[in-house]
Amino acid sequence: MYDRILVPTDGSEETTCVIAHAAELAEAHGAELHAIYVINSSTFASLPMESSWEGVSDMLEEEGKSALEDARRVAEEYDVSLTTHLLEGPPNKEIVRYAELDGFDLIVMGTHGRGGIDRLLLGSVAERVVRASTVPVLTVRVGGEDDEPDVPATGKAHGSS
């Protein structure tokens, strides 16, 4: 059913269970597993011009490499190989673009259990991916303050663990 699975990571500790879930699915289906980290440089666009962009850029790249190395350690616990990719741009757009252009069958990503005003103010990368992607998205709940289950935003494939 799945030949190519994509798992975006943000490097947070909560993402570990998402990567493990994706690795378990890849192992069960004999699928390729790819992890991506998207450097969102736009969050630093408001830095004063005298700030060293090169230093910020290097720091963001190192964070991405570290997150992908963490993903590799999690995937090593399963009988799967992991290919990693470091991308740059708006995370939701890059995840969708990469998944669609590279022929992935499934995106597995974490969703924080935010609700109410937090969700309205902060938005959600996972929700934006679900809404925009033609590739099915499996969401894995990675903690949150409320106990309400995630409600699918569209008719695409969803789940939570």
Side-chain angles (χ1 to χ4, degrees):
M1 177 174 227
Y2 301 121
D3 295 320
R4 302 190 70 194
I5 298 173
L6 179 64
V7 60
T9 181
D10 63 5
S12 67
E13 188 156 328
E14 293 90 2
T15 308
T16 301
C17 71
V18 178
I19 297 164
H21 194 90
E24 192 173 332
L25 277 172
E27 182 179 57
H29 291 272
E32 294 177 22
L33 182 61
H34 293 247
I36 60 169
Y37 181 94
V38 182
I39 298 171
N40 187 5
S41 55
S42 67
T43 57
F44 293 92
S46 63
L47 285 176
M49 289 304 288
E50 58 271 5
S51 297
S52 169
W53 173 245
E54 187 175 305
V56 171
S57 179
D58 290 346
M59 178 193 70
L60 294 173
E61 188 171 325
E62 284 306 311
E63 284 179 7
K65 288 177 181 177
S66 176
L68 292 171
E69 190 53 42
D70 290 346
R72 185 172 306 288
R73 280 192 285 278
V74 173
E76 285 175 352
E77 297 176 25
Y78 300 86
D79 187 22
V80 296
S81 63
L82 179 71
T83 303
T84 61
H85 309 275
L86 193 60
L87 306 174
E88 187 172 342
N92 57 302
K93 291 180 180 177
E94 285 302 308
I95 292 165
V96 170
R97 183 191 65 77
Y98 191 80
E100 291 176 351
L101 288 178
D102 279 21
F104 285 90
D105 304 306
L106 181 67
I107 302 169
V108 179
M109 58 188 307
T111 179
H112 298 277
R114 291 190 189 101
I117 195 74
D118 283 346
R119 186 164 163 254
L120 288 173
L121 293 175
L122 298 173
S124 164
V125 172
E127 183 176 355
R128 290 179 188 143
V129 169
V130 165
R131 290 181 185 276
S133 180
T134 59
V135 176
V137 178
L138 173 69
T139 59
V140 179
R141 183 103 170 241
V142 292
E145 297 171 13
D146 58 31
D147 291 326
E148 294 179 31
D150 291 339
V151 177
T154 67
K156 295 181 179 66
H158 305 281
S160 77
S161 293

